Amino acid sequence: MNKFTHNSPQETRENEIYKGYGGVLRGNSSLNHNQLSLYVSRPFLVTMEVKVLWSDETQKLKFEKDSIVVLVDVLRASSTIAYALAAGAPAIYLTKDINNALAMKDKEPTKTIIGGERGGIQLDGFDVGNSPMMIPELIKKKKKSSVVLCTGNLCNAISNIPIVKGVIYTVGCLANAKAIAKYILRKKPKRVYFIPVGTYYMINYKGKLPVYTEEDFLGSLYILNELVKLKK
C-alpha cells in the first residue's frame, strides 16, 4: 500500500499553485532513445543529469542519493492524485487489489472514498472510477475524506523501483508539470529520473513483449519542457 500526503507544491492549471503535492511514496513513441538522449543533454541542464527510463528498466537500477524520481501515469492515476490533493484530500492510498480497497472503505466508510475501474468501467462497490474530474467533486462533498485508488500500472511501477534513503519520489502529469519543474529547480538535485509507467504486453512470434504507452512518455517530456522553459 502506497500513501500520498501533502508535502510539496502542486498545480492543476498554469496559474493556480496548490500546497500539498504527494511527496515521498513508498510506448510506442515517436522519439527513440537516441533522440531522447540528445533532447535531455542541452547545455541548460549541465548542473543535473536527466534520464527517462521505462518502468521495467528500473528493477536492477539503484538510484543515487540527491536524486528526484518522477513517476508519470497521465491516464489516469497521477492526474487523479494531482486533482484529488488539490481538492483537499488529506491522504491518498494506492492499491491494485480490489478486496484491499473495499476493506479500507469498510474500516472508515464515512471518511474514505474508493475509486477504481477495469477497462474504463467503474468497479462494483466503489464510489467512483479513477476519474480526475469526479473524485474531486466527491472530496468537496465528503470533506476530510481520504482516497483509496485501485490502480495497476502505477502500483506495479512503485513496486519495481528501489527505495533509497535521500531520494525524493513523486508523481507527475500534465496538470502539475509546471509545479514539478519548479520543485526540481528549487531542490537542485544532481539527478532527475522520469519514469513513464504505462505498460501492456503484446504476444507475437518473439514471445511476450512490453509495449509502452505514448501519453506517459510524452507526459515526461512535457514536464521536462517546463523545466527547460523555467531554466532559460
Side-chain angles (χ1 to χ4, degrees):
M1 176 69 66
N2 305 104
K3 179 182 179 181
F4 290 79
T5 55
H6 290 266
N7 281 329
S8 54
Q10 147 112 306
E11 67 180 20
T12 55
R13 289 188 292 273
E14 183 173 349
N15 296 318
E16 294 186 4
I17 306 297
Y18 294 86
K19 293 180 180 178
Y21 185 64
V24 178
L25 53 79
R26 177 45 221 163
N28 288 334
S29 173
S30 58
L31 292 177
N32 60 37
H33 283 280
N34 291 332
Q35 290 171 311
L36 182 59
S37 296
L38 291 173
Y39 185 86
V40 301
S41 297
R42 291 179 179 177
F44 63 84
L45 289 176
V46 294
T47 57
M48 69 179 73
E49 178 185 359
V50 179
K51 291 184 178 180
V52 179
L53 303 170
W54 303 117
S55 59
D56 61 351
E57 293 178 315
T58 64
Q59 296 181 25
K60 297 181 180 180
L61 178 68
K62 184 176 181 180
F63 298 121
E64 298 179 44
K65 292 181 179 180
D66 196 17
S67 298
I68 292 179
V69 178
V70 184
L71 296 107
V72 182
D73 187 8
V74 173
L75 298 175
R76 298 191 284 180
S78 57
S79 299
T80 301
I81 291 168
Y83 277 92
L85 288 172
I92 297 179
Y93 298 87
L94 301 182
T95 179
K96 59 181 179 181
D97 185 88
I98 295 173
N99 292 328
N100 192 19
L102 292 169
M104 292 187 69
K105 173 77 171 184
D106 290 340
K107 287 182 180 179
E108 292 188 285
T110 62
K111 296 182 179 180
T112 305
I113 296 170
I114 56 174
E117 59 193 28
R118 291 294 184 271
I121 305 299
Q122 182 178 324
L123 293 166
D124 291 340
F126 280 58
D127 299 309
V128 68
N130 287 341
S131 169
M133 302 305 294
M134 297 177 67
I135 286 181
E137 293 300 318
L138 286 179
I139 293 171
K140 292 175 182 178
K141 294 177 182 178
K142 296 179 65 175
K143 294 183 179 180
K144 297 183 179 180
S145 292
S146 296
V147 176
V148 179
L149 285 182
C150 191
T151 177
N153 278 328
L154 187 54
C155 283
N156 289 335
I158 292 171
S159 64
N160 284 338
I161 62 177
I163 302 302
V164 179
K165 187 176 181 179
V167 175
I168 296 172
Y169 301 83
T170 189
V171 295
C173 59
L174 303 181
N176 69 351
K178 191 171 184 178
I180 290 290
K182 287 180 177 179
Y183 185 71
I184 291 170
L185 288 180
R186 189 167 74 248
K187 286 293 184 179
K188 298 179 180 178
K190 291 181 180 179
R191 288 160 293 274
V192 180
Y193 299 92
F194 292 98
I195 303 176
V197 306
T199 308
Y200 62 96
Y201 291 90
M202 178 179 65
I203 298 176
N204 63 14
Y205 69 93
K206 293 183 179 180
K208 188 178 180 182
L209 301 175
V211 180
Y212 306 101
T213 56
E214 288 186 352
E215 69 272 6
D216 294 341
F217 181 77
L218 294 175
S220 299
L221 294 187
Y222 184 78
I223 300 171
L224 180 55
N225 187 59
E226 290 296 322
L227 189 59
V228 172
K229 291 192 293 184
L230 290 172
K231 191 70 174 177
K232 286 182 178 179

